[in-house]
Amino acid sequence: MTIGWTKKDIRDQSGKVAIVTGGNSGIGYETSLALAENYATVILAVRNMNKGHEAADKIKSEFPNADVHVLKLDLNDLGSVKEFSEEFKMKFRSLSLLINNAGVMMPPKRETKDGFESQFGINYLGHFALTGLLLDLIVKTPDSRVISLGSLAAHNLKPEFGKFIGKKGKTSQMKNYGQSKLACVYFAKELQYRFRSRNIDSKSIACHPGIAQTYLFGKGSRSLKTRLTRASLKIIGQSAESAAYPILYAATESSIRGGEYIGPDGRKGIKGSPTELELLDQQFVDHVSNNLWILSEKLSGVTYKF
Ligand SMILES: NC(=O)c1ccc[n+]([C@@H]2O[C@H](COP(=O)([O-])OP(=O)(O)OC[C@H]3O[C@@H](n4cnc5c(N)ncnc54)[C@H](OP(=O)(O)O)[C@@H]3O)[C@@H](O)[C@H]2O)c1
């Protein structure tokens, strides 16, 4: 455990190449900013190129020597995930950090381009496909890490992945969100198991940011309910910068072994300094994670070649 860890503790990231999905906004932006400040090459993987370039310009205005790139990635579309991975491989020869951060929470009910429940498709399956398509680069890069984003909303949930994977499920959007985030955490653990059992040096780590008032809550909505929710989150939660610390800790700390679940150490995990949580071990069911993996390969059409 590290007491009071902040981004000032990040060691020099020179030579590291990092992809941050959703790096244009909120927690992903703060993660990208801190990695760029510490000399990593950072690729903002974004669905909206204008927003991506605005974020890159903002980072460069703070750190003029920052090495920041913007590439198009729409996790709502597995075709875009494939195109992103091909473009990335044409431009870069290594991948030290894959930060699977992008996400949506409780959007209106809809399906992804490939027909999956949107939170499952964007938060989980798109990232599953992305990681599989970049696996060759990840595996050949020394001390590479894949970071997956969980959430307090996934804590104490039983895995019921089969129920919400299908089209037009009847489950609530909050439940779908929690299950999609639980799937990300299961993926992180299973990926680490697969790395370790093949003696691969790469590491897979899950983390959750606690609660931070970002655009995740009520994106685009100006309703009174959304404004009240966002105002109360500002009071109880932490800044997007602090919420990025679990990711930055998982990505850069030399003590990381792989397989950890990192989150804030404060009351109820809402805010605080990043620390290793035991929760993941208590919740984890081996055969479920293996089944989810097999299903995900089938649904995404991406087979992991270790
Ligand atoms: N904020 C919290 O309290 C909290 C708590 C638990 C977990 N998390 C997790 O933290 C992560 C970051 O969320 P945030 O709070 O920083 O929210 P945010 O500010 O809304 O950022 C979400 C990012 O994901 C991107 N994104 C959404 N759909 C995408 C798609 N189809 N393809 C590519 N990118 C897409 C968004 O792009 P656009 O800007 O173009 O929309 C944005 O860059 C999410 O995984 C979320 O589940 C957040």
Side-chain angles (χ1 to χ4, degrees):
M1 188 173 93
T2 305
I3 306 288
W5 192 96
T6 74
K7 68 177 186 178
K8 292 195 181 113
D9 294 305
I10 298 175
R11 62 203 162 107
D12 189 326
Q13 299 293 303
S14 302
K16 304 241 174 196
V17 176
I19 294 174
V20 183
T21 69
N24 63 290
S25 172
I27 296 166
Y29 173 77
E30 295 296 339
T31 301
S32 304
L33 180 71
L35 291 174
E37 178 182 1
N38 288 283
Y39 314 113
T41 294
V42 180
I43 293 89
L44 309 179
V46 300
R47 64 175 163 178
N48 180 319
M49 292 298 275
N50 289 337
K51 285 191 192 176
H53 285 297
E54 272 173 33
D57 290 346
K58 214 167 132 198
I59 293 174
K60 283 183 195 155
S61 71
E62 283 210 44
F63 305 107
N65 294 328
D67 188 14
V68 187
H69 306 252
V70 183
L71 293 188
K72 166 101 178 161
L73 169 71
D74 185 355
L75 292 157
N76 192 55
D77 172 6
L78 291 170
S80 167
V81 175
K82 190 161 179 281
E83 281 165 21
F84 171 89
S85 68
E86 286 165 359
E87 188 179 0
F88 180 81
K89 284 181 191 179
M90 271 165 48
K91 293 185 170 155
F92 299 92
R93 294 277 165 266
S94 65
L95 178 54
S96 312
L97 298 171
L98 173 57
I99 300 182
N100 288 329
N101 159 81
V104 288
M105 187 174 87
M106 297 198 292
K109 278 206 172 191
R110 60 176 182 234
E111 292 171 6
T112 65
K113 194 165 178 204
D114 307 282
F116 302 107
E117 188 282 316
S118 66
Q119 296 174 98
F120 172 76
I122 293 169
N123 299 351
Y124 169 68
L125 196 65
H127 283 128
F128 178 91
L130 179 66
T131 309
L133 290 166
L134 295 170
L135 192 71
D136 49 348
L137 275 192
I138 295 168
V139 164
K140 77 173 198 194
T141 307
D143 190 32
S144 58
R145 301 180 185 192
V146 179
I147 317 280
S148 299
L149 266 279
S151 167
L152 287 172
H155 292 191
N156 306 316
L157 285 187
K158 285 203 176 82
E160 294 181 306
F161 305 132
K163 276 193 189 170
F164 75 104
I165 280 168
K167 299 176 187 182
K168 293 192 175 146
K170 286 191 184 143
T171 45
S172 76
Q173 285 298 75
M174 190 60 213
K175 192 164 182 190
N176 285 338
Y177 177 71
Q179 289 288 329
S180 76
K181 287 282 138 185
L182 188 60
C184 293
V185 169
Y186 264 73
F187 165 68
K189 193 91 171 160
E190 182 70 22
L191 180 62
Q192 175 61 23
Y193 169 75
R194 287 171 188 245
F195 282 152
R196 196 166 283 160
S197 59
R198 290 163 175 83
N199 289 321
I200 293 171
D201 175 44
S202 309
K203 297 177 183 70
S204 168
I205 309 110
C207 51
H208 84 86
I211 292 182
Q213 193 248 46
T214 63
Y215 287 114
L216 191 72
F217 300 91
K219 194 159 236 161
S221 168
R222 292 175 171 269
S223 72
L224 181 63
K225 191 176 162 207
T226 301
R227 280 185 284 151
L228 286 174
T229 307
R230 297 188 71 190
S232 61
L233 289 174
K234 200 166 186 178
I235 296 164
I236 63 162
Q238 56 185 351
S239 65
E241 180 186 317
S242 301
Y245 287 175
I247 301 178
L248 291 163
Y249 181 95
T252 64
E253 267 301 290
S254 51
S255 59
I256 289 289
R257 308 173 305 281
E260 293 92 338
Y261 188 37
I262 310 291
D265 64 359
R267 199 169 157 264
K268 297 188 174 175
I270 291 172
K271 52 184 165 184
S273 304
T275 192
E276 189 176 334
L277 308 169
E278 283 173 15
L279 206 116
L280 187 53
D281 296 327
Q282 293 159 12
Q283 243 180 301
F284 195 68
V285 189
D286 282 346
H287 74 272
V288 174
S289 99
N290 186 47
N291 289 348
L292 177 65
W293 187 283
I294 292 165
L295 183 63
S296 303
E297 286 194 332
K298 200 170 141 201
L299 294 175
S300 67
V302 175
T303 304
Y304 276 57
K305 298 189 183 85
F306 286 97

